[in-house]
Amino acid sequence: QVQLVESGGRLVQAGGSLRLSCAASGRTFSYYTAAWFRQAPGKDREFVAAVSGSGDYSRYAEAVRGRFTISRANAKNTVYLYLNSLKPDDTAVYYCAADRNWDAPQYDYWGQGTQVTVSS
């Protein structure tokens, strides 16, 4: 089992920046792919970014590529999402997720989410 707790979400103006954190506990976190998803009101949850267990590989949704950066600090059992050049469309609940598989992750573990609100 892996437990995930997100933090860092808040109200920010368009063009601003945020850092979200996801603290993991339980199993050895470096074995797990970690990812961020988001869900805006009335919309389906969507993939944002993922990072491999070692931190050597990452992937991004097209909507955030070049603006968001995912990274991890395995010594701290923490994954980060840096959000830059924020837009009102980035408003959503952001969720952290983890899975043992990098190639075809199913994301068996989820956090409770943290709210990001971007004002225009």
Side-chain angles (χ1 to χ4, degrees):
Q1 283 281 45
V2 174
Q3 293 79 42
L4 303 170
V5 179
E6 303 95 332
S7 62
R10 62 177 176 86
L11 173 65
V12 63
Q13 288 189 332
S17 299
L18 277 179
R19 187 187 77 170
L20 305 183
S21 300
C22 173
S25 61
R27 299 290 180 89
T28 303
F29 193 48
S30 61
Y31 293 169
Y32 290 79
T33 292
W36 289 93
F37 288 76
R38 67 185 182 185
Q39 187 167 20
K43 295 186 177 181
D44 292 334
R45 185 157 54 189
E46 64 176 359
F47 170 79
V48 174
V51 62
S52 62
S54 65
D56 291 340
Y57 303 100
S58 60
R59 55 171 69 112
Y60 295 90
E62 197 59 39
V64 306
R65 190 185 305 277
R67 297 189 300 122
F68 292 7
T69 301
I70 189 170
S71 66
R72 65 192 300 160
N74 284 336
K76 297 182 179 180
N77 285 344
T78 302
V79 176
Y80 303 101
L81 184 69
Y82 296 85
L83 297 73
N84 297 309
S85 302
L86 281 161
K87 307 174 183 179
D89 284 350
D90 295 318
T91 295
V93 178
Y94 283 71
Y95 297 91
C96 180
D99 192 270
R100 287 294 301 264
N101 196 321
W102 168 250
D103 291 326
Q106 299 299 310
Y107 295 113
D108 295 328
Y109 304 102
W110 292 85
Q112 83 290 347
T114 186
Q115 176 71 48
V116 173
T117 303
V118 183
S119 64
S120 57

